[in-house]
Amino acid sequence: MSITGQAIDRTDGRRKVTGTAHYSAEHSLPRMAHAVMVQSTIANGRIAMIETAAASGMPGVLLVMTHLTAPTLPAGGKAAAGNPPAGRILNLLQDERVHYNNQPVALVVADTLEHAQAAASRLRIEYRQEAAQLDFASARMSTYPPEKVKNEEADTCRGDVESGERNAAARVEAVYTTPIEHHNPMEPHATIAAWDGAHLTLYDSTQYVAGVRTTVAKTLGMPPDKVRVICPYVGGGFGCKGSVWSHVVLAAIAAREVGRPVKLVLDRQQMFGPVGHRPNTEQHFLVAAGLDGKFTAMRHSVTASTSFMEDWIEPSALTTRMLYECPNQQTSHRLAKLNVATPTFMRAPGEATGTFALESAIDELAYALQMDPIGLRLQNYAEQDPQSGKPWSSKSLRECYRTGAERFGWARRTPQPRSMRKGDTLVGLGMATATYPANRSKAAARATILPDGTAMVCSGSQDLGTGTCTIMTQVAADALGLPLDKVRFELGDTDFPPAPVSGGSQSAASVAPAVQAAATAARLKLVRMALADPASPVSGASTEDVVIENGWLARRADPQRRESIATLIARNGGQPIEAFMETEPGEEKEKYAHHGFGAVFAEVHVDPDLGTIRVERVVASYGIGRLLNRKTGHSQLMGGIVWGVGLALFEQTEIDLRYGRAVNGNLAEYHVPVNADIGSIEIIVVDEDDPRINSLGAKGIGEIGITGVGAAIANAVYHATGKRVRDLPITLDKVMD
Ligand code: MOS
């Protein structure tokens, strides 16, 4: 029986709950100094003066670094700009220019954190302020197209939208808006930098150890093989740790300057600073259909905010291009500049916000046509990818609608808004489609069977708290023929074989095939050793005749005569057996369109007087290939849905229009869902095998969970109240009359 797929507890769970798992900030190095990042208090302008003498004279201070004293970096600190996954423009104290409030403008290093904090508070900085653009409403008056949107064109057009609109029986045209949101993983960004001569070691909380190595090496002008990045545990990433931000490089520079290891940890308020966010979007949506519900026209025009330093686009219209059949369609993306930090990937960037607009508009159209929302979606079901014309690698969306609706009890929904109640409470049922690309990249792994009969498998991937470590252990154990507790899987180190960024929901789909291949290759070496060994019970057999189970090796036809792997290796020289494999997507990647799909159903209860909304129940059914671990997989999907509740009802960063600072930059005032906000969440994963994505048939699931949830809840709120809220989050003031 296969271990892969089973609901195994996290292999690193015990280490995490007992505190023996050391996160980036928890490493303690000899003579380690502590850095505090000082940030700008204006949104636009120049530093006119920095008075550092008082700070420098404070107890324990080792370094006060400003743009006047920081070392000059190659290409002004922009040498790494343009690198995947995101060419960040960092703020590395190379000049006096300030582009946003909270921009790093100085770094103070001291022997203790308290000394560094005290000294940082003594810096006196004067600015020459310039007018700042902080209001998205006025910034979007002058927009421009981004060069590309995730390697796709910014704009697309197929058919003729105007004539499609003319031939329609019903149409919906509306504007949907989503606010700036900030990532709030439990573990903030943290870096420890330590130099040993010309060699740099970074303990960094990151989704991409290899990316940190490349970016830091390029920025500092040193060979990448002189940089090692270590990150065995991450306390949540969600996209903000997918890029290297300024603090990582600043820690490295400071450590070199003071000749001691330097630790730099962002505090919670700094998480609302120079480490990315989800930008504002304004999405104009038109959808029109005939009486039969078949879409005749669709237009999705997205404007998103970005910084003055860099173009980063929230790709909200990409889902619209592929989710439904529609002969006439236009999509576009535009950018509007704000004096804020640069936005970045945030869980399902584009899909989370884009499906809010798309799936809300379709719900509005269902009311206009008096059709069932699922029926309307089925009427426009895309049998192949409408954008590329390619067949799907697999698609079980019909099954998701069916199983989700059945489990949720969709049939009891009476379509009329305000028609369902529980006591005085308004009850609303809403649904939406979920989808996210099933990405896969090149990845490598090494498997080593040790003389004691256990195995060590590694890959330079990352575990963001998602269960990567656990599922890779399962995959390796199956491939090696070892029980789970005889396999140790390690990740998060650039010394391990390279793996892609743990972003774009691709780690499971990319790294698991490499782990499986490396483990299989090591196993084959072991089998060959046994076949050639006259003392082995399988001597002279063929490789197919050999079974390895639970660490025992035997001939398939005669499983009683067996020997342990340790015995076999001991007799054959006692050396570890090692195999390295690199895997990458084959021609299937080009031949098929790869996506996960799902259907999300939400029940909300709304107080008719107060407008308070409670998400009582969510049922979501997904077609996501083969789940590698039912427990961690369900948890991850559930976590995505919880975040979807945050997107729908709570999350919004309020930017002070005078100073450009996030006024609710803390966990007390930036609302994320807590346990009391979450009712029941039920996950269904339909049977789906996708041999075209990889050898395990597994699609990524990191991001699909949040998609569709915003619309499912907005649609349920409309059903409950008759109020169509097109501006997230749906706070009670928008629901009350
Ligand atoms: Mo994900 S937003 O690609 O980490």
Side-chain angles (χ1 to χ4, degrees):
M1 185 171 133
S2 134
I3 300 168
T4 306
Q6 285 184 39
I8 305 289
D9 287 345
R10 284 162 200 273
T11 53
D12 50 1
R14 184 175 295 272
R15 272 172 271 155
K16 285 183 172 178
V17 298
T18 55
T20 55
H22 288 156
Y23 289 81
S24 297
E26 295 176 320
H27 294 275
S28 187
L29 305 182
R31 299 181 65 241
M32 188 164 70
H34 300 260
V36 168
M37 203 163 68
V38 180
Q39 292 158 276
S40 68
T41 52
I42 64 159
N44 190 28
R46 288 167 195 281
I47 300 167
M49 191 275 298
I50 301 193
E51 170 57 58
T52 59
S56 302
M58 294 282 284
V61 172
L62 300 166
L63 173 72
V64 178
M65 192 163 69
T66 71
H67 70 282
L68 299 170
T69 58
T72 302
L73 300 173
K78 291 179 185 159
N83 278 339
R88 296 359 295 238
I89 301 289
L90 304 180
N91 306 117
L92 302 174
L93 315 182
Q94 297 296 294
D95 56 47
E96 77 289 356
R97 196 74 184 81
V98 174
H99 294 284
Y100 61 98
N101 193 316
N102 254 333
Q103 177 181 316
V105 291
L107 196 77
V108 177
V109 184
D111 57 348
T112 67
L113 176 62
E114 292 74 15
H115 280 154
Q117 286 169 330
S121 72
R122 297 290 293 272
L123 275 185
R124 204 162 63 80
I125 307 177
E126 282 173 15
Y127 298 95
R128 262 199 307 280
Q129 283 203 57
E130 291 164 32
Q133 179 57 276
L134 293 166
D135 187 6
F136 184 57
S138 58
R140 65 182 159 70
M141 298 302 164
S142 57
T143 64
Y144 60 98
E147 237 171 72
K148 283 275 178 188
V149 177
K150 264 189 170 177
N151 295 326
E152 288 195 38
E153 298 303 318
D155 297 3
T156 56
C157 182
R158 56 180 188 250
D160 178 350
V161 172
E162 278 71 28
S163 81
E165 215 184 331
R166 273 196 303 278
N167 298 328
R171 66 192 289 287
V172 166
E173 190 166 12
V175 180
Y176 302 87
T177 48
T178 64
I180 288 181
E181 296 176 355
H182 276 87
H183 313 72
N184 273 289
M186 287 308 292
E187 182 207 21
H189 292 270
T191 305
I192 296 173
W195 291 86
D196 180 5
H199 191 276
L200 172 66
T201 301
L202 292 165
Y203 298 87
D204 186 42
S205 183
T206 177
Q207 294 172 227
Y208 194 17
V209 288
V212 173
R213 167 158 72 177
T214 310
T215 304
V216 172
K218 278 199 177 179
T219 305
L220 298 181
M222 56 193 285
D225 61 1
K226 291 271 187 277
V227 182
R228 180 180 177 195
V229 182
I230 299 172
C231 180
Y233 305 100
V234 184
F238 312 116
C240 64
K241 294 174 184 168
S243 316
V244 176
W245 300 108
S246 308
H247 66 277
V248 182
V249 182
L250 289 173
I253 297 171
R256 193 166 56 186
E257 295 291 305
V258 301
R260 292 165 66 160
V262 165
K263 183 202 279 198
L264 175 49
V265 183
L266 301 201
D267 65 24
R268 185 55 64 182
Q269 297 201 5
Q270 290 177 318
M271 294 299 288
F272 293 79
V275 285
H277 60 269
R278 198 194 293 281
N280 295 286
T281 73
E282 180 180 278
Q283 306 179 51
H284 290 245
F285 210 101
L286 162 80
V287 57
L291 272 180
D292 57 359
K294 288 237 194 279
F295 297 153
T296 57
M298 211 181 251
R299 187 186 294 119
H300 191 179
S301 314
V302 178
T303 303
S305 55
T306 189
S307 72
F308 274 91
M309 298 175 296
E310 201 181 311
D311 289 349
W312 192 90
I313 180 78
E314 170 94 1
S316 300
L318 295 189
T319 307
T320 302
R321 295 175 184 174
M322 52 61 64
L323 194 50
Y324 299 103
E325 207 48 68
C326 180
N328 308 302
Q329 186 189 80
Q330 266 180 331
T331 68
S332 67
H333 294 89
R334 294 291 178 272
L335 284 167
K337 283 201 178 294
L338 290 179
N339 284 105
V340 295
T342 304
T344 195
F345 316 96
M346 181 160 166
R347 207 168 194 175
E351 293 81 5
T353 49
T355 54
F356 166 61
L358 168 65
E359 293 294 297
S360 292
I362 290 176
D363 195 68
E364 296 198 46
L365 186 67
Y367 279 98
L369 288 163
Q370 300 193 340
M371 277 183 80
D372 175 72
I374 300 176
L376 176 57
R377 286 169 171 84
L378 286 172
Q379 190 70 309
N380 297 285
Y381 198 85
E383 300 291 354
Q384 58 185 28
D385 178 6
Q387 179 68 8
S388 66
K390 292 175 187 174
W392 304 110
S393 66
S394 60
K395 179 175 180 178
S396 313
L397 183 53
R398 274 200 187 85
E399 189 65 0
C400 297
Y401 290 136
R402 193 185 65 74
T403 51
E406 191 179 290
R407 184 74 207 167
F408 183 71
W410 184 253
R412 76 183 173 91
R413 174 180 181 267
T414 51
Q416 195 59 32
R418 298 183 83 93
S419 63
M420 294 179 73
R421 278 175 191 260
K422 185 180 179 193
D424 288 339
T425 306
L426 300 168
V427 173
L429 308 185
M431 61 81 57
T433 307
T435 187
Y436 191 82
N439 295 316
R440 182 186 169 189
S441 301
K442 183 153 86 174
R446 187 167 54 235
T448 311
I449 302 171
L450 300 168
D452 66 357
T454 68
M456 150 77 192
V457 184
C458 66
S459 173
S461 184
Q462 303 75 206
D463 187 331
L464 315 186
T466 49
T468 309
C469 227
T470 309
I471 57 174
M472 296 309 158
T473 312
Q474 291 174 268
V475 168
D478 275 338
L480 288 162
L482 288 175
L484 205 61
D485 61 4
K486 291 244 165 94
V487 179
R488 200 172 84 226
F489 181 80
E490 289 191 8
L491 47 62
D493 193 330
T494 47
D495 277 358
F496 296 153
V501 57
S502 292
S505 300
Q506 66 172 339
S507 283
S510 308
V511 181
V515 166
Q516 188 183 47
T520 303
R523 181 187 182 280
L524 193 62
K525 282 189 181 175
L526 182 84
V527 168
R528 292 218 176 99
M529 175 193 277
L531 297 179
D533 176 359
S536 154
V538 301
S539 166
S542 67
T543 47
E544 304 81 62
D545 291 337
V546 180
V547 285
I548 305 180
E549 257 174 27
N550 236 358
W552 294 87
L553 188 126
R555 201 183 283 248
R556 196 179 301 277
D558 185 10
Q560 301 309 321
R561 265 195 66 217
R562 59 179 197 173
E563 75 172 342
S564 75
I565 291 173
T567 312
L568 171 69
I569 295 180
R571 205 172 49 243
N572 286 273
Q575 292 305 307
I577 296 168
E578 190 175 285
F580 167 96
M581 290 294 273
E582 186 173 73
T583 53
E584 61 187 319
E587 55 175 16
E588 293 85 0
K589 179 155 178 164
E590 294 310 317
K591 289 215 304 233
Y592 297 93
H594 302 260
H595 271 262
F597 293 94
V600 191
F601 296 82
E603 175 175 339
V604 301
H605 290 186
V606 184
D607 183 308
D609 301 316
L610 301 176
T612 47
I613 302 164
R614 181 177 164 78
V615 180
E616 193 65 23
R617 217 156 55 89
V618 174
V619 173
S621 180
Y622 298 102
I624 42 177
R626 192 170 158 222
L627 212 49
L628 299 178
N629 180 323
R630 204 156 26 83
K631 187 175 185 176
T632 57
H634 280 215
S635 292
Q636 198 176 8
L637 292 162
M638 212 178 279
I641 291 167
V642 170
W643 201 342
V645 173
L647 174 97
L649 302 182
F650 306 121
E651 291 192 55
Q652 174 166 28
T653 303
E654 301 280 0
I655 301 289
D656 186 318
L657 293 182
R658 296 162 303 171
Y659 306 112
R661 185 161 282 245
V663 292
N664 57 339
N666 57 72
L667 281 182
E669 292 164 294
Y670 182 92
H671 290 174
V672 296
V674 297
N675 271 312
D677 296 312
I678 301 299
S680 88
I681 298 177
E682 206 174 324
I683 305 291
I684 300 164
V685 175
V686 304
D687 276 335
E688 181 182 280
D689 190 27
D690 191 336
R692 293 173 181 125
I693 176 104
N694 53 42
S695 53
L696 290 132
K699 295 177 182 173
I701 58 169
E703 284 158 284
I704 192 172
I706 190 175
T707 71
V709 180
I713 291 173
N715 297 342
V717 168
Y718 176 75
H719 181 238
T721 64
K723 278 259 174 168
R724 178 62 67 176
V725 181
R726 303 186 182 93
D727 176 43
L728 293 184
I730 308 171
T731 45
L732 49 81
D733 53 300
K734 297 173 189 169
V735 174
M736 275 193 301
D737 273 311

